[in-house]
Amino acid sequence: MAAVDHEAMLRQRVDPELLNRIVKRRVAEVWGEARRLTDPILADTAKAVAQEAETRSKQFVIDALAAWHLRVQDAQEAEERRYEVVRMYLRWSDHMDGSVERIRRYARRDE
């Protein structure tokens, strides 16, 4: 399902349900990684990373939906808007990948 959703985003098939589903899944992934840590200091650090990722995810949804739903003057502008949403998605996705990787590095220290 994740790969299908990612592909839909890359093909500019954006809708609120798809955005919410992707964000919910990725935020859950980050929190799941953070909850695995047992060392109190590393767990607190991972929790901060997860909270920041969740905050950034909420802002991504707001920004993406605003860009998607703004009044469009012509077909070219609509296409540019879709490209912008995809660019925002790719930046956000890279950030989420980085968050998961940071927490996994903490987990390796926690072993």
Side-chain angles (χ1 to χ4, degrees):
M1 182 69 136
V4 172
D5 289 346
H6 178 76
E7 188 65 29
M9 283 298 297
L10 295 180
R11 292 180 185 223
Q12 303 174 18
R13 295 193 176 125
V14 180
D15 64 61
E17 182 181 318
L18 174 64
L19 282 174
N20 287 322
R21 186 172 57 238
I22 291 170
V23 168
K24 184 176 179 181
R25 183 181 314 113
R26 294 301 307 270
V27 168
E29 177 186 9
V30 172
W31 276 107
E33 292 290 331
R35 289 187 182 105
R36 292 181 23 201
L37 280 84
T38 56
D39 179 271
I41 294 172
L42 293 175
D44 286 346
T45 304
K47 181 179 175 184
V49 171
Q51 287 172 332
E52 192 273 331
E54 186 170 354
T55 300
R56 190 162 181 167
S57 296
K58 289 176 183 176
Q59 190 61 53
F60 160 67
V61 170
I62 291 167
D63 294 345
L65 291 176
W68 187 257
H69 289 290
L70 287 175
R71 180 170 290 161
V72 176
Q73 300 299 323
D74 57 35
Q76 183 178 2
E77 187 178 335
E79 186 175 356
E80 290 170 6
R81 224 43 60 85
R82 287 190 300 272
Y83 285 140
E84 179 59 27
V85 171
V86 171
R87 283 191 296 270
M88 288 190 303
Y89 165 74
L90 292 172
R91 284 192 302 269
W92 169 81
S93 184
D94 287 345
H95 177 77
M96 296 303 283
D97 291 343
S99 296
V100 169
E101 185 53 39
R102 283 172 55 198
I103 293 170
R104 287 179 180 163
R105 280 195 307 259
Y106 300 146
R108 287 192 290 274
R109 293 180 188 147
D110 195 32
E111 293 174 345

